[in-house]
Amino acid sequence: MLVQKYKEMLSGKSVIRELSEFATARGREIGYENVFDYSLGNPSVPVPREFTDEMIHMLANQGTNELHGYSPSLGITSVREAVAASLEKRFGLPYRREHIFMASGAAGALAHAFRLVTEPGDEILTFAPYFPEYGPYVNLTGAVLKVVPPDTERFQIRFDKLEEMLTEKVKAVLINTPNNPSGTVYSGETLERLSDLLRGKSAEYGHEIYLISDEPYREIVFGGVEAPCVSAFYDNTIMCYSFSKSLSIPGERIGYVAVNPRCREAETMVNMCGQISRGIGHNCPPSIIQLAVAKVLDRTADLSVYETNMEILYKELMELGFDCVKPGGTFYIFPRALEEDAKVFCRRALDYDLVLVPGDTFGAPGYFRMAYCIDTEKVERSLGALRRFVSETYR
């Protein structure tokens, strides 16, 4: 027999993917340039030239086995050393290669982090609004994801609700800053308060509560906004990073786990990641991509377009009467819908070829997400459709 839990998941496919597929199909009818597709968080800016040049150089000058053979289980040693040196230089923490595990993107990094610190039945807490794939990522390990209700004023953390839910069964807290879908960047004050709470509860319960920090948008922070290093606040932090957004290479599936050097048994945890890989088959990311990213650790794609797009949309949304927290980073904005049911709101928007994602899927009913990782010219053209939608439907 087929495994029932996966069969049942077929009826609960990703809303984001379904909307993206709708946009593609609609584009075949009217031309995709006429579909204002804000559904999928797929980076839109070109890959840095340095990355492409490095790939070309390696392919022309290095051996097949080095570029295309299996890497060591923990990742290529020189790459781990380069990542550690970059983190130490940037954040002032004494990272060494022994603290780094190369992974297949942030999803692969999270898959290892969850299995490092939880047994079946343990709980992991995260905060709404949150990336909906956290649900299957966690729950299919046998652990249980529980979601703290959102702080809708600033999309920081509702500490009153967190303290209620932070029971002895919780082995990890999962955060995502800058945040998908809200674009919020957790402040130093928020991170300090969270760290103090976790230290106190760890001592009270007699076991570590780990902080798992999902950071694929770390480099996309807008002018005037500070993005503190999460690991600097809390020793038992497991950083999960992806180069997908910073270098515009999501299809290459490359990232890493970086265990805080101050974490007890940090080196053991990294070695355990190699053993976890044996159980989930999520190991040995492509050697050539590991080598390429190691050469451009101080580079990013030109991320400025995302701030440009955000400013255009935020200004328009506010003028149209939306309630919206201004993003501090990422390429998402998360306004409150103009009616209580955001799913109905987003269905109505489709009549204007506006593809928006209801906030229900992110644990925040009544809101909707716009992924503005599209050409600025298209953002500007979408404003007319947005104005017509609001005027003809809600005025």
Side-chain angles (χ1 to χ4, degrees), residues 62 66 72 74-86 97 100 102 287 290-295 297:
Q62 293 180 229
E66 183 181 5
L74 304 184
I76 296 171
T77 300
S78 63
V79 176
R80 295 167 64 209
E81 288 173 345
V83 168
S86 174
R97 74 182 185 204
I100 307 299
M102 300 306 296
S287 295
Q290 290 188 56
L291 292 166
V293 297
K295 298 292 187 179
L297 291 172

Side-chain angles (χ1 to χ4, degrees), residues 241-256:
Y241 184 74
S242 169
F243 293 94
S244 294
K245 277 68 179 183
S246 62
L247 294 176
S248 286
I249 54 170
E252 306 298 352
R253 310 309 300 144
I254 188 67
Y256 56 78

